[in-house]
Amino acid sequence: LKIYIDDNLGERLTLSSLSEKVFYNPSYFSRVFRQKFGCSLTEYITKKRIDLAKDLLTSTDFSVEEIINKSGFSDRGVFYHAFTKYTGFTPNEYRTTKK
């Protein structure tokens, strides 16, 4: 399932849709996921999406809007908030300092 999540970060990934893939009750799946990975499913997906965005910012010339879409964020505000929280930089600051 981890591989499925990593390969489909641009898609809509929800607790209910992922728990269905492994035939678990969503609350049980959530507990098992947290025990195995040490974070919630939402935190895991967000961190992976941020990692993808960081990679795209430093290795491509895609616009921030394109990166938001490719990394699976629902909107610009959610992306900026999460990106700044996890990196301490805005996307443009990250691109110019890490490229």
Side-chain angles (χ1 to χ4, degrees):
L1 187 62
K2 182 179 175 290
I3 293 169
Y4 177 84
I5 293 169
D6 293 351
D7 289 346
N8 292 281
L9 290 171
E11 305 299 318
R12 187 165 183 266
L13 301 171
T14 65
L15 175 61
S16 60
S17 68
L18 293 172
S19 63
E20 284 177 16
K21 290 200 177 300
V22 292
F23 306 104
Y24 284 153
N25 169 298
S27 65
Y28 177 74
F29 175 72
S30 182
R31 267 195 319 276
V32 169
F33 191 92
R34 184 179 288 279
Q35 289 171 348
K36 182 160 178 79
F37 295 103
C39 63
S40 73
L41 176 64
T42 303
E43 290 170 310
Y44 179 83
I45 292 170
T46 300
K47 287 176 186 174
K48 287 298 196 173
R49 286 178 170 164
I50 294 296
D51 288 344
L52 175 58
K54 287 169 29 181
D55 182 53
L56 292 172
L57 282 165
T58 57
S59 65
T60 71
D61 289 326
F62 292 145
S63 71
V64 172
E65 292 301 321
E66 289 175 296
I67 291 171
I68 290 169
N69 292 330
K70 290 181 182 301
S71 56
F73 281 91
S74 57
D75 68 38
R76 186 180 181 91
V78 171
F79 172 72
Y80 269 82
H81 177 75
F83 195 89
T84 304
K85 176 183 173 186
Y86 284 100
T87 67
F89 296 97
T90 66
N92 287 325
E93 289 171 341
Y94 188 87
R95 176 174 264 165
T96 56
T97 59
K98 304 294 181 182
K99 201 164 190 181

